[in-house]
Every structure is written in C-alpha cells, then in structure tokens.
Amino acid sequence: MTTIIFWLLAGFTLAAAVMVVVSRRLMYSAVSLLFTLVGIAGLYIFLWADFIAVVQIVIYVGGITVLILFGIMLTNRIESVNISHDRVQMRYGLIGGSGLLILLLIMIFRTPWQVLPAVEPASTIDVIGRMLLIDYLLPFEVASLLLLAALIGAATLARRKR
Amino acid sequence: MTMDWLIDWTLSSWLGFLGSPGAFILAAVVGGLAIFGLVAVHAIVAVYVERKVSAFMQDRIGPMGQGPGLHAGKWGVLQTVADALKLLLKEDIIPALADRRLFILAPFILFMGAFIGFVAIPFAPALVLADFNVGLFYILAVSSFGVLGLILAGWASNNKWSLYGAMRSAAQIISYEIPAAISLLAVVILAGTLNLQSLTAAQQGTILGFLPNWFIFQNPFTFMAFFIYFIAAVAETNRTPFDIPEAESELVAGFHTEYSGMRWAFFFLSEYANMFIVCAVAAVVFLGGWTSPLGELLSGPLWGLFWFMVKVIFLVLIMMWFRWTFPRLRVDQLMNVSWKVLLPWSFINLLGSALWWLWRS
C-alpha cells in the first residue's frame, strides 16, 4: 500500500512539475507549482521527516506561493486578462536541460548513498531543535540576520520616495 | 490512532478479504466521511444558531417557519436545511470572463484547507484520526491553503471587488497568523510537545485543588496568550469585526461575489469549518481539550467527547457574539491591531512563559 501511495504521489508531483513548465498562462504555472510543492511535502513524509514536511507547507505553500500569486496579481492590471508566457529558445533549453539530467543521473547512481533502516524515529522535533539552537546556533543566527537584512532592504526599496 | 484502529478492525473482521490496501482505503473513506459529516452538521446547526443569536441580540425573533412554500418547522429549526436544499438546486453561474478552471478549483482548495485540519484534532482520549508529533504545527500549516483558495477565487472571478477582497484577506490572514502562532508557542514551551494528545494529557488534574490544570491558568502569560490567540483566530476566519475581505458595504461580498449555488456553499462550509478548527485548537491548547473541568469527576472517553464539544461550541458562540456586537475595523486599524498591539504582546508572552518555565524547573 505504501508503495502504491508513494508512486501516486511521485507521479502527481512530476505531473504538476511538468504543468509548471508547459502551461501557457502564468497563473496556471503558479497554481501547478503549488501542487508540486505539496507533493514534495508528501514525499518528505515517506522519509519520516514530518517536521520538514509541515515546514515545507508553511513556507512554500503558505509563503512563497502566496507571494508569487501576489506578484502576478499586482504586476498586471486586472483588465489585461491575457497573462501568458511563451516558450522561448526551446532548442537550447532542451540541450541544457537534458545535459543537467544526465549529470544528475550519473551523480545519483555513482554516489554511495547512506541507507538508514526503515524504522520510524520517536520524535524528529527534539533533534532538530537541539541541532538548530545548540549545535549550529551561529549559522542559524547568521541566516536569520541575512533574511532580516533582505526584509529591510525590500521594504526600503518598495517605499515610495517622498 | 483511530485510523490504525479502523485498519486493524477491518483486517480482523469479515472484511479481512480486502487486504491491507483495501483496509487502508476503507479507513480513509470512513474517516473522511465522518469529518465531512461533522463539518456539514456543524455548519447547518451553527448557521441556525447564528441566525437565532443575531436575532435575539437585535431584539428580533429570527426564522420562525411561517409563510407559504417550504415549511421550516417550529421555531424555524429546518431553516438551514431548506437553505441547503435551495443552494443545491440553485443554478451554477460562472461569469463569462472568469478564469473557468481556477474559478472551479478555488472553493475546493479553500475547503480542503479547512477539511484536512480535522485529521489531527483530538476529540476524546482515543478519538483522533491521526495522532502525530507535529499535530499543532500541522493544523497551523494547512490553514494556509485557505489563503491560497481565497486568492485564487478572487483572481479567477475577474471582478475588482473579488480581487480587492482576496488581497485584503490574504494580507489579513498572513498578518494574524504570526501573533496566533507565537501565542500558541507560549504554551508549547511549557508542555514541550506539539502533539495535541500529549498537550491535552498534560492538562489533567487541578491547580490548588479547585482550578482545572489547564494551560490558560498556568501562568499570567498563558492567560494573556489565550486572548491574543482567540482575537487572531477570529481574524483568521474572516469574521466580524475583522471581515473587511467581504465587507458588504464596500465590496459587495468580497472574494465570493461571483459565486453562487453549491460553489458558494463551499465558501460557507469552509468558514464554519475554520471556526470549528480555530476554536478546537484554542480548546485543546488552552482549555484542556477533552479533560474535565471538575478534576477526576466526569472524566472518561465519552465524557471527554462531551467536554471537548462543550468547549468548542462555547468558543464558537463567543465568536458569534463578537460578530453581532462589534463594528467592522478599517484596513489600517486592522493592521495596527495585528502588528502594533498583538504581536509585541505575544512576544512578551513568549518570553515570559519561557522565563516562567526556567523558574519552575
């Protein structure tokens, strides 16, 4: 049963990802991206990474996708319904894309992956909390400082000059 | 928890021939139908109660069931059933210039956000569909599907009122999510868990012999956190006094202006389902969930369900009371309340609660 659900979920994620690329309308791409990200959250659950899955939903579905949708809604006047994008430079894109795919495939099959036994961990939150706030406190704080700087920068840029 | 029990039961009973995939699908369908039944019954009852509550508050009598046509029963108890039938039979109108696909998709995304949150809610000691470690965080996370549903509905309607409503709603929900989440964290620090069943179990017993050992009574900071969470929760469900996304005097009906019939009913269902969820979270985190307010007295699985529902319905009634007593806030006032009042105070609560925990341990 788990296998069936895994393949269904993987297929769903891939189909949504393909839709992101081939959709003619920007809004459809954004909505497909939403489904892709939800599918990835589902895949995390199969790795018993429940916390990461929920974080994925909070940040990517609740934050980034909303931001993208806002961007699309605000940059186009509502009267101009023709929000679409064309496929440009198909040939080069295809060459670059398949090159990257081959590279990744070689990497995937050559790496000696560390295989963990399929046992459910008791709790993932404790370990993550300990890691983030004790072992790796400095990188964590530096990252948050960077985000804060980006936030202030964005607010300054967006502010209307008086 | 209940899911696992359902699967085991199916496999051990005469339905055993279904095998594990069949049992899984059966359990999922039964669980889903149970949640849907709860959502639908809650919405039908709550709409009736809301009409009656509003009527009594405004010195009216509300629906009484007189008049020709469909008879709505004594005291109008069948009024919402009649409304639901009307909505089912109503013509489904999709505006010619609307984005058809997204217009159809939006109510489902919105409803899904409200619907899947129910999976983690502990109704009684052994009655929770899925008991997992990040339950509280999960409920907060899936509520963000609601924002997406609203934005898509507003955009796909191709109507300026809808778009304004959607943007206001998104800004509002994102702003109020932050104080709500931080207020819940004040309790999570004390409990040391995000699992809703463990959170409830940690609240059994009494303080000083008479007060129930609920997190709201644990310390002054969690007491304040409850009120901040509840105000933010009212805002997250887009209800008055925070209903500027659908402010009827300015925006017709906001993001659902163009919807009719059953699609509109889904917006309505999700509003009431969201009310239930935020009240259930408040009840579980601050008011002891299924624990009895009388200590050991009247506690047990069935009493647990009873107390849980009493707490949730009490909070839902308070939300209705808010709706019919407070005037609507302006957009700038709304943002001020969230960012300049609730957010600083919720940070103080978080810090205070953490210090309290250090002092006690």
Side-chain angles (χ1 to χ4, degrees), chain A residues 1 4-5 19 23 25 27-28 31 34-35 38 50-51 53-55 57-58 60-63 65-67 69-70 72-74 76 78-81 83 120-126, chain B residues 20-22 24-25 97 99-102 105 109 112 132-134 137-138 140-142 144-145 147-148 151-152 154-155 158-160 163 166-168 170-171 174 177 192-195:
Chain A
M1 194 62 216
I4 302 172
I5 297 180
M19 281 294 290
S23 283
R25 305 189 66 175
M27 202 68 174
Y28 289 174
V31 175
L34 155 74
F35 288 120
V38 172
D50 47 2
F51 186 77
V54 177
V55 169
I57 291 181
V58 169
Y60 284 94
V61 176
T65 320
V66 171
L67 204 66
L69 289 180
F70 254 85
I72 296 174
M73 289 198 312
L74 292 178
N76 291 276
I78 188 157
E79 301 93 70
S80 64
V81 280
I83 301 169
E120 186 176 356
S123 170
T124 50
I125 317 165
D126 300 355
Chain B
S20 80
F24 179 84
I25 292 168
L97 286 179
D99 190 321
R100 215 183 149 80
R101 281 191 227 169
L102 293 181
L105 185 71
I109 293 187
M112 186 182 74
F132 45 104
N133 278 329
V134 287
F137 195 24
Y138 165 80
L140 290 179
V142 295
S144 52
F145 281 106
V147 188
L148 281 164
I151 294 180
L152 287 181
W155 189 82
N158 202 7
N159 169 328
K160 57 189 168 195
L163 191 67
M167 294 201 318
R168 283 180 179 190
I174 290 173
E177 255 174 8
T193 176
L194 286 168
N195 180 321

Side-chain angles (χ1 to χ4, degrees), chain A residues 126-149:
Chain A
D126 300 355
V127 187
I128 292 174
R130 227 166 272 279
M131 290 262 187
L132 274 186
L133 294 177
I134 295 175
D135 299 350
Y136 299 100
L137 183 62
L138 188 67
F140 181 69
E141 289 296 330
V142 169
S144 54
L145 209 65
L146 183 71
L147 287 176
L148 182 68

Side-chain angles (χ1 to χ4, degrees), chain A residues 18-110:
Chain A
V18 170
M19 281 294 290
V20 176
V21 184
V22 301
S23 283
R24 283 261 164 187
R25 305 189 66 175
L26 209 51
M27 202 68 174
Y28 289 174
S29 290
V31 175
S32 311
L33 186 64
L34 155 74
F35 288 120
T36 317
L37 296 169
V38 172
I40 290 171
L43 292 177
Y44 281 135
I45 292 174
F46 277 93
L47 298 170
W48 279 301
D50 47 2
F51 186 77
I52 305 287
V54 177
V55 169
Q56 164 93 4
I57 291 181
V58 169
I59 293 179
Y60 284 94
V61 176
I64 308 247
T65 320
V66 171
L67 204 66
I68 291 175
L69 289 180
F70 254 85
I72 296 174
M73 289 198 312
L74 292 178
T75 44
N76 291 276
R77 293 254 171 84
I78 188 157
E79 301 93 70
S80 64
V81 280
N82 185 24
I83 301 169
S84 58
H85 60 143
D86 270 328
R87 281 169 231 167
V88 284
Q89 297 183 327
M90 270 286 270
R91 197 177 302 154
Y92 300 112
L94 212 61
I95 295 168
S98 37
L100 188 65
L101 180 73
I102 292 164
L103 200 70
L104 282 174
L105 281 177
I106 293 171
M107 196 203 79
I108 286 170
F109 286 110
R110 278 199 161 179

Side-chain angles (χ1 to χ4, degrees), chain B residues 147 150-151 164-174 238 244-245 255:
Chain B
V147 188
L150 292 184
I151 294 180
Y164 274 129
M167 294 201 318
R168 283 180 179 190
S169 160
Q172 171 181 335
I173 294 177
I174 290 173
N238 287 336
I244 53 157
F255 50 86

Side-chain angles (χ1 to χ4, degrees), chain B residues 171-187:
Chain B
Q172 171 181 335
I173 294 177
I174 290 173
S175 309
Y176 278 86
E177 255 174 8
I178 303 166
I182 291 174
S183 306
L184 293 174
L185 275 184
V187 167

